[in-house]
Amino acid sequence: MGEFDLIARYFKRPVRRAALGVGDDCALLQPKANTQMAISSDMLVQGRHFFADTDPRALGHKALAVNLSDLAACGAQPLAFTLALALPHVDEAWLAAFSQGLLALADAHGCELIGGDTTAGPLNICITVFGEVPVLAGRSLALLRSGAQADDDLYVSGTLGDARLALEGLQGKLAIPQELLARAQQRLQQPTPRVALGLALRGVASAAIDVSDGLLGDLRHLLQASGVGATVEADVATSLIAASAYSIRATGDFYLDLTATQWRTLALAGGDDYELLFTAPARLREAVAGAARHSQTAVTRIGHIEAEPGLRLIDRFGQSLPNSYASFDHFA
Ligand code: ADP
Ligand code: MG
């Protein structure tokens, strides 16, 4: 099977909203009046972002999920994406499963594949997503990293740390009971992009970022962009590890004996969570709760923003904790 048959077979589909899809030199998108386009790219490299034997269906899901997560963090409605793919060889079973995982998530979000590039080479998947944000009375409703203000509340969606727990288990660094590993692995390999929450937070959140490299590392980006500081309740964040909740009800299948510092490290610096970390003024607590309900996404208040720059961590007794939780950096 050649390059063009491969594209036609696995990636070419009838266009729906785009003006032109796969098959010409460019795809065409027709922006609506009073909207901005939100655009983001993420690349997944074998050996760096995923193991060679990763289930291709899960990989297709994750490659798009991490991109949709960026649109979610901006409060953008997904529209379309392109797929640049390097493949070592044509493996039809792999391509069928990969494209099914990818396109199932795409369909769930009404985000269509409009083009890309296909080449031979070490397995590498690069997606660019295009989303839409309304502009009202000349003001964009996009959520940015730079809008946090002193005294805002700090929230995170969903659960934290489980993806990292699975990674440690798969790498053989932690001995994790099989049942627990299977659940945590789901979070690592098939993260849920919080698109509906991002949309519901337009006009409510003052700033947002998605958690890809670890909670505190990504929080630092938001604080720097906003020129503020924050205090984070470390034990509240740590309680959001789904595995810790199972482990407390522990019987043999789920029991995991980690130190308090290990649990905190998973939650605060784990990475690969693809949750939304965002701020909102305290007077909008009801609106935040409404956005959580409307999007059927759990949201937890984990701290607050302060004028004093820097990141402070406190435990459940309000005692300060040393802040030595490093997040992931490809070149550090
Ligand atoms: P060009 O040589 O003009 O860059 P290509 O021959 O690379 O075009 O691709 C032919 C068409 O197939 C283009 O419309 C391109 O967007 C699309 N395409 C290529 N690879 C993919 C892919 N992996 N998924 C979706 N569309 C693709
Ligand atoms: Mg090309």
Side-chain angles (χ1 to χ4, degrees):
M1 170 176 290
E3 174 186 337
F4 300 101
D5 296 331
L6 182 162
I7 296 164
R9 173 112 196 234
Y10 295 106
F11 300 115
K12 186 174 162 81
R13 304 167 93 211
V15 273
R16 282 171 297 174
R17 283 176 306 170
L20 185 68
V22 171
D24 212 303
D25 292 309
C26 290
L28 296 171
L29 291 177
Q30 178 77 53
K32 284 200 216 111
N34 298 314
T35 60
Q36 287 180 331
M37 294 227 106
I39 300 162
S40 182
S41 295
D42 262 301
M43 182 153 69
L44 296 187
V45 176
Q46 180 177 309
R48 170 112 329 236
H49 299 96
F50 60 91
F51 299 107
D53 62 352
T54 298
D55 169 26
R57 190 183 303 263
L59 194 57
H61 174 103
K62 183 163 178 175
L64 183 59
V66 302
N67 278 280
L68 291 176
S69 178
D70 285 314
L71 290 184
C74 284
Q77 172 73 54
L79 285 181
F81 68 105
T82 60
L83 168 67
L85 195 58
L87 296 169
H89 53 263
V90 176
D91 173 344
E92 290 213 52
W94 190 95
L95 276 162
F98 174 81
S99 62
Q100 277 166 20
L102 177 84
L103 297 174
L105 184 67
D107 289 346
H109 289 277
C111 189
E112 58 187 334
L113 177 54
I114 54 169
D117 198 23
T118 306
T119 166
L123 184 55
N124 186 319
I125 304 155
C126 183
I127 287 180
T128 299
V129 276
F130 302 84
E132 200 170 58
V133 182
V135 178
L136 274 187
R139 242 185 101 234
S140 169
L141 294 192
L143 305 177
L144 303 181
R145 298 177 177 186
S146 52
Q149 304 264 347
D151 300 324
D152 281 356
D153 292 325
L154 177 67
Y155 299 88
V156 71
S157 65
T159 63
L160 293 171
D162 297 284
R164 179 57 177 269
L165 182 70
L167 182 64
E168 301 277 324
L170 293 172
Q171 290 177 333
K173 294 184 189 161
L174 277 180
I176 302 174
Q178 202 49 51
E179 283 284 308
L180 194 56
L181 182 60
R183 292 197 193 201
Q185 209 174 325
Q186 180 73 19
R187 289 286 296 153
L188 175 67
Q189 295 186 338
Q190 280 175 280
T192 306
R194 304 299 187 188
V195 173
L197 178 63
L199 294 176
L201 287 172
R202 285 174 182 168
V204 176
S206 48
I209 187 170
D210 70 323
V211 180
S212 51
D213 296 333
L215 183 79
L216 297 187
D218 289 317
L219 175 56
R220 265 192 208 96
H221 297 312
L222 184 151
L223 297 178
Q224 269 163 12
S226 297
V228 293
T231 291
V232 173
E233 298 179 41
D235 293 330
V236 177
T238 303
S239 73
L240 299 177
I241 306 173
S244 77
Y246 306 136
S247 205
I248 286 162
R249 280 186 256 118
T251 53
D253 284 350
F254 285 117
Y255 190 66
L256 191 58
D257 191 18
L258 301 183
T259 64
T261 301
Q262 283 177 309
W263 283 117
R264 284 180 187 139
T265 303
L266 287 174
L268 300 175
D272 253 357
D273 298 300
Y274 301 103
E275 296 294 352
L276 294 190
L277 177 65
F278 62 95
T279 58
R283 67 186 157 76
L284 293 183
R285 279 187 193 169
E286 260 315 302
V288 170
R293 269 196 311 276
H294 185 77
S295 60
Q296 301 187 2
T297 309
V299 158
T300 307
R301 186 150 50 88
I302 57 164
H304 60 273
I305 299 296
E306 293 155 336
E308 189 191 341
L311 183 47
R312 290 158 289 279
L313 278 184
I314 55 172
D315 69 10
R316 79 189 89 227
F317 308 110
Q319 300 289 326
S320 70
L321 287 168
N323 181 358
S324 49
Y325 300 92
S327 74
F328 191 77
D329 179 331
H330 282 284
F331 296 105

